[in-house]
Amino acid sequence: MKTLALSLAAALAFALPAQAQSKYPERPITMIVPFAAGGPTDIIARIVSENMSKTLGQQIVVENVAGAGGTTGITRAVTAAPDGYTIAMGHLGTFSAAPATYPGLKYDPINGMQTIGLAGGTPILIVAKKAFAPKDLKEFVTFVKANADKVNEAHAGVGSVSWTTCTLLKGQLGVPKLNSVAYRGTGPALNDLVSGQVDFMCDQIVSVAEQIKAGTIKAYAVASAERSPALPDVPTTKEAGLPEYQIEAWNGIAAPKGLPKDVVDKLVEALDKALNDETVKKRLLDLGTVLPTKEERTPAGFAALIKRDADKLSPVLSAAPKQ
Ligand code: MLT
């Protein structure tokens, strides 16, 4: 009996630290969105975090901290205390493109943060204001080449996805510089595209799908291998005559480096559950999001994706004009 009591006490002693850790989260969690409200990052963050909150038993409060192509918000998030109460929804721009575009970047997406997982793939579309003269992608290419000094391109700041993907496009067209108009996110940029203040942009499907369907803006092509089920009438760049322009964007969650393992596990589990939820899935799919694979939902799988795309983008972006 005495032996049993002793081993019970020993078991309890071992269980205590785990029990103390497992209290996370005890208060609301802040998810920093490094762009303005209404853009793709904000939309995905709000859909996913609402469901994650239910699993975690604490609200995830989305905070928009825009500026410097998303790097202001990500810097704040990944240099916060590694306690799980500050996380961020970043993307291809902030995690894979920014190191090549900001030499003094204050965070290191490869070695200096804790990845949680990918939240969604976001196909890229070349979209324009309704009244923009070119009728299709071939005409767009000819028009932009002939009018590089007149065409206005909207983006969400150097290093953002819209900037990165249009920088690749301009490089391929041989027109590295257009009149660039930088916004605090493609949410506000889209408002100006709809009202005709700017000519075109390259944007993630999530925020433009509804406007394309409503006919308030036009889409020339999706830069993916396949058409998006959310926009079946929009051709791929290959079909529309620019096969070399292929780029996949994505959004995913990261946190400061040094997060306790049990906190990482809880966040990973909450993200996975959110992405398995039928309502979340439908909302994301309706907006054209590509659901992540099991592997991409893991910290290691997401880290590998960040590195793969950073390696791919870095040589092109380091040499590109930062405007
Ligand atoms: C946003 O949420 O506004 C976008 O993801 C910005 C961008 O990177 O183009």
Side-chain angles (χ1 to χ4, degrees):
M1 199 58 185
K2 200 173 167 191
T3 325
L4 179 66
L6 272 177
S7 40
L8 264 176
L12 272 173
F14 278 116
L16 270 177
Q19 220 174 35
Q21 286 178 341
S22 71
K23 283 191 184 155
Y24 171 83
E26 295 180 291
R27 55 187 167 87
I29 297 163
T30 298
M31 178 183 277
I32 292 185
V33 164
F35 295 99
T41 311
D42 182 71
I43 294 171
I44 292 183
R46 286 177 197 276
I47 294 175
V48 168
S49 68
E50 190 184 316
N51 187 282
M52 288 176 73
S53 298
K54 289 185 204 157
T55 304
L56 293 165
Q58 285 287 347
Q59 205 196 342
I60 298 181
V61 181
V62 171
E63 189 184 341
N64 299 85
V65 182
T71 58
T72 304
I74 298 296
T75 301
R76 189 184 303 176
V78 303
T79 57
D83 55 11
Y85 291 100
T86 308
I87 58 177
M89 179 65 77
H91 62 18
L92 172 80
T94 56
F95 295 154
S96 294
T101 50
Y102 292 93
L105 195 66
K106 297 216 167 39
Y107 61 93
D108 174 359
I110 311 287
N111 301 305
M113 64 180 204
Q114 172 65 54
T115 45
I116 301 299
L118 188 69
T122 55
I124 290 295
L125 287 127
I126 307 169
V127 291
K129 66 180 181 187
K130 213 174 149 185
F132 200 40
K135 285 194 293 298
D136 55 26
L137 188 61
K138 282 190 178 148
E139 283 191 17
F140 169 83
V141 169
T142 310
F143 188 88
V144 170
K145 284 181 174 177
N147 297 283
D149 55 335
K150 296 185 196 74
V151 172
N152 293 318
E153 165 216 353
H155 62 68
V158 171
S160 64
V161 165
S162 42
W163 178 86
T164 298
T165 53
C166 255
T167 295
L168 299 184
L169 175 66
K170 290 182 292 182
Q172 287 178 1
L173 300 187
V175 282
K177 281 193 178 185
L178 297 174
N179 298 320
S180 290
V181 187
Y183 291 81
R184 292 170 76 77
T186 52
L190 181 59
N191 291 339
D192 278 4
L193 194 70
V194 170
S195 64
Q197 314 281 313
V198 284
D199 294 327
F200 88 101
M201 68 176 171
C202 305
D203 201 10
Q204 295 163 269
I205 193 166
V206 174
S207 52
V208 291
E210 290 305 320
Q211 299 287 356
I212 294 166
K213 282 193 262 188
T216 56
I217 57 171
K218 58 184 169 192
Y220 291 124
V222 59
S224 308
E226 307 286 337
R227 290 187 182 205
S228 166
L231 290 170
D233 296 337
V234 176
T236 63
T237 44
K238 187 172 177 204
E239 290 170 328
L242 196 60
E244 62 276 27
Y245 185 59
Q246 301 259 339
I247 175 83
E248 294 287 344
W250 40 260
N251 278 87
I253 302 176
K257 191 175 176 163
L259 217 57
K261 178 157 182 335
D262 69 303
V263 173
V264 174
D265 291 348
K266 284 187 179 183
L267 290 167
V268 172
E269 189 205 349
L271 174 63
D272 188 46
K273 271 197 174 167
L275 295 172
N276 285 337
D277 178 86
E278 290 306 323
T279 310
V280 171
K281 269 165 54 177
K282 181 169 176 357
R283 286 175 76 191
L284 291 174
L285 290 171
D286 284 351
L287 295 170
T289 316
V290 179
L291 294 177
T293 62
K294 276 278 166 211
E295 175 61 16
E296 288 168 338
R297 295 175 195 194
T298 65
F302 184 35
L305 176 66
I306 292 173
K307 180 156 177 10
R308 183 201 73 184
D309 284 354
D311 290 346
K312 209 158 56 180
L313 291 171
S314 174
V316 191
L317 296 182
S318 324
K322 312 291 183 294
Q323 48 108 248

